[in-house]
Amino acid sequence: GFDRAAHANCSDILWQNLSRNPNALAVTGPQGNLTYAELIAQAAKWGQAFTALGLARGERIAFFLDDTPAFPAAFFGAVRAGFVPVLLNTQTPAEVLNYFLVDSGARYALVDADASGIFTGATVAGTALTTTIVVNGAPVQDGHVAAADILADRPDTLDCADTGPDDMAFWMYSSGSTGRPKGIVHLHHDAGYIQDSFGAKVLKLTPQDICYSVPKAYFAYGFGNSMVFPFAVGAAVLLMPGQPRPEVVLDAIEAYRPTVLFGLPTLYTAVAKSDGVTSRDLSSIRQSMSAAETLSADIYSAWKDLVGHGPTEGLGSTEMLHIYLSNMLDDHRIGAAGARVPGYEIRLETPEGQTAKSGEEGVMFVRGHSSAPTYWNRPDKTADTMRRDWIYTGDRFIERDGFYYFQGRADDLVKVSGQWVWPLEVERCLNEHADVYECCVLAEQQADRRTVLRAVVALRDGAEAGAPQVKLLRDYVKSVLTPYKSPKLVEFVAELPKTGTGKIDRQALIRPVAA
Ligand code: 3SK
């Protein structure tokens, strides 16, 4: 069983290295190397500085930070001193950032110098923010404060605040497709739990590993990959700031020789297709993880051809903090999100409220000790999703032989010509066509209020856009599925828009209802 009481403060994940392996490499990257002793000394200074600034226990601190050593140092220092980092996506536009600041009530914010221009004017108007602390460079805005000044002369040791395993430790915001984002509250024991489950039972890092998560640490996926799993076993993490373009990722792999790579299917495709990739040295990578989107057989094989193994697919959520369904390196079912990760319980519920049998479809509920107990200040949304200790995922799945196969969202069923269709089914069908590189299928309301399916398609090199291709694809869906599922509208784009996490940005493709 999980010893909840042993996880009174999640900073122990880092601090245990001080006695275990102080001189081992903790962080590497373009800003140089830090041993555990050095990283912990920096974290201590952050905790001391926040305390000296007069923050109250449980007070939120907005983190608007890219992946550099300042992230773990400030994060672990803050939580050890009893404060609550709110991990924000650095791609957040000003208006939404203003909402995050108001909602979290943060008086202090941390930001990288090159992104700090956003912390001014309308972004901070009407918020409680008093102090913007700039890391990785000098302040450029009037009133911003240099981290170096805040940290100067602070002690490099830090006692742990008197927190408990069920105290609030950190937040992240959900990037839900509709409505206001929700502040997802995680507790001190949650990070220890993802290590004891996914970390220990699936990932199985050793102290010799160097982890490289292309998704940033402000995402739950990146947070576990970069802030929890490596530090929990005394391994190292590569922190790479900036846009993860394929050539940047390839250069980083050659320069820092990570052993475990974490990405999304879109990353694996982009890297596998990039110019000159076959002449790159990727031999350091012994394992690759993929999450957040369904991995296709094509991508799996392209990556396997390149590095000798396919990405291991898993599925998690910000509410659960990390992965609760996963394939294994030596037992991978293409098309499956994975099998239950030990430590989590999964229940599929039929529309009649019964537990689905094997082979029967149901909406997934998941339970495990890393689940967020609440959304901040959103009792309505909390009641929808957090059903006692179960989390309602809204994802439809079928389980076969212990592996779970995604069938779409519970709420994305649409009626076309009087018949029910899941756009995802059509999307999957089109994706199997030899001319299609990637696509997105959306339900769209016409001026006459009819709902039609609209496919936005990026073609493979050599396939030609135009009316004959539209007919070809529509006929293909008619023959493979059924005529009413064939998209009425098919349009071609060079590339589909992507969200900050690399998922297809469905919101960006939605058009207003025609007049
Ligand atoms: O989307 C996912 O699969 C995921 C995985 C780990 C942590 C968080 C998320 C959202």
Side-chain angles (χ1 to χ4, degrees):
F2 176 65
D3 182 5
R4 217 179 173 99
H7 298 273
N9 190 291
C10 67
S11 68
D12 288 341
I13 289 172
L14 177 66
W15 246 265
Q16 63 186 322
N17 292 289
L18 195 54
S19 51
R20 184 172 63 184
N21 47 348
N23 299 320
L25 180 67
V27 180
T28 188
Q31 302 202 356
N33 293 342
L34 287 180
T35 64
Y36 274 104
E38 289 165 338
L39 177 60
I40 292 167
Q42 288 193 12
K45 282 174 174 277
W46 275 106
Q48 295 281 3
F50 289 130
T51 306
L53 287 168
L55 274 85
R57 260 290 285 282
E59 182 164 348
R60 272 78 62 198
I61 306 169
F63 274 48
F64 200 75
L65 295 180
D66 201 342
D67 282 7
T68 74
F71 194 116
F75 176 86
F76 284 107
V79 290
R80 194 165 187 81
F83 311 123
V84 178
V86 178
L87 307 183
L88 301 176
N89 183 334
T90 58
Q91 306 295 314
T92 306
E95 202 183 314
V96 183
L97 180 54
N98 175 266
Y99 169 73
F100 290 157
L101 293 174
V102 171
D103 189 53
S104 63
R107 292 191 296 148
Y108 290 85
L110 263 54
V111 58
D112 289 290
D114 58 8
S116 60
I118 192 170
F119 275 82
T120 185
T123 312
V124 299
T127 72
L129 199 74
T130 59
T131 312
T132 301
I133 304 170
V134 175
V135 306
N136 296 318
V140 285
Q141 297 285 331
D142 279 352
H144 287 187
V145 180
D149 292 341
I150 299 251
L151 298 174
D153 302 326
R154 302 287 176 207
D156 61 5
T157 57
L158 178 68
D159 289 338
C160 192
D162 180 23
T163 51
D166 293 334
D167 284 348
M168 191 158 84
F170 55 91
W171 301 6
M172 289 154 182
Y173 273 89
S174 70
S175 50
S177 48
T178 53
R180 286 182 287 144
K182 304 176 286 282
I184 298 176
V185 174
H186 277 291
L187 310 181
H188 275 284
H189 70 270
D190 296 354
Y193 197 73
I194 66 172
Q195 167 58 22
D196 280 16
S197 50
F198 178 76
K201 306 290 178 359
V202 179
L203 200 56
K204 301 180 184 158
L205 297 179
T206 74
Q208 284 69 48
D209 277 312
I210 301 178
C211 297
Y212 176 19
S213 175
V214 176
K216 305 282 184 183
Y218 52 73
F219 294 122
Y221 180 36
F223 176 80
N225 306 338
S226 295
M227 298 295 132
V228 177
F229 307 131
F231 298 156
V233 300
V237 61
L238 163 58
L239 294 177
M240 285 293 300
Q243 285 298 317
R245 293 191 311 279
E247 60 283 9
V248 172
V249 172
L250 287 166
D251 288 349
I253 294 172
E254 287 187 327
Y256 303 103
R257 302 198 55 77
T259 57
V260 181
L261 182 66
F262 300 87
L264 265 66
T266 40
L267 168 88
Y268 291 112
T269 332
V271 172
K273 277 178 41 144
S274 65
D275 290 341
V277 65
T278 49
S279 59
R280 296 299 203 117
D281 179 6
L282 307 181
S283 61
S284 65
I285 301 172
R286 67 166 183 83
Q287 182 170 358
S288 310
M289 267 312 298
S290 180
E293 288 221 306
T294 307
L295 185 71
S296 70
D298 280 3
I299 302 177
Y300 185 87
S301 334
W303 194 249
K304 189 167 182 183
D305 290 347
L306 203 59
V307 301
H309 62 260
T312 305
E313 181 172 3
L315 177 79
S317 71
T318 310
E319 284 80 353
M320 294 307 293
L321 189 55
H322 215 270
I323 290 176
Y324 49 85
L325 288 181
S326 185
N327 286 277
M328 302 291 280
L329 198 55
D330 54 0
D331 190 4
H332 199 297
R333 314 283 163 96
I334 306 282
R340 180 183 69 82
V341 169
Y344 293 97
E345 286 172 75
I346 305 288
R347 194 170 88 83
L348 300 186
E349 191 179 285
T350 65
E352 294 75 36
Q354 304 300 313
T355 298
K357 299 189 195 65
S358 194
E360 203 180 359
E361 186 181 299
V363 181
M364 184 175 278
F365 287 78
V366 55
R367 175 156 77 171
H369 292 293
S370 60
S371 63
T374 188
Y375 295 121
W376 183 251
N377 246 337
R378 302 291 293 274
D380 51 337
K381 296 287 175 192
T382 300
D384 281 353
T385 302
M386 286 110 183
R387 314 229 183 138
R388 295 208 249 202
D389 47 357
W390 289 93
I391 296 280
Y392 168 79
T393 68
D395 289 331
R396 294 178 295 111
F397 272 90
I398 288 181
E399 175 271 321
R400 276 188 227 101
D401 298 332
F403 282 77
Y404 289 82
Y405 297 82
F406 183 57
Q407 306 298 309
R409 293 282 305 164
D411 52 10
D412 67 1
L413 194 63
V414 290
K415 219 171 208 182
V416 176
S417 313
Q419 311 202 64
W420 292 109
V421 189
W422 269 292
L424 188 76
E425 185 190 9
V426 181
E427 196 170 296
R428 283 197 175 153
C429 171
L430 278 173
N431 268 326
E432 305 221 314
H433 191 280
D435 289 347
V436 174
Y437 170 60
E438 56 182 5
C439 75
C440 178
V441 176
L442 304 145
E444 192 169 273
Q445 218 180 67
Q446 304 285 276
D448 60 7
R449 307 203 62 75
R450 275 184 317 136
T451 300
V452 299
L453 291 181
R454 169 173 155 245
V456 186
V457 180
L459 291 170
R460 285 190 191 278
D461 292 346
E464 256 186 58
Q469 185 68 258
V470 171
K471 179 163 170 12
L472 195 77
L473 294 180
R474 295 195 63 220
D475 287 350
Y476 176 73
V477 178
K478 278 184 196 160
S479 62
V480 176
L481 297 176
T482 181
Y484 73 86
K485 294 186 179 175
S486 178
K488 181 168 183 318
L489 309 171
V490 178
E491 57 194 58
F492 301 104
V493 290
E495 205 181 328
L496 288 169
K498 304 281 166 26
T499 64
T501 34
K503 293 189 193 194
I504 292 171
D505 188 351
R506 307 180 78 84
Q507 285 299 107
L509 291 168
I510 294 173
R511 301 188 292 204
V513 181

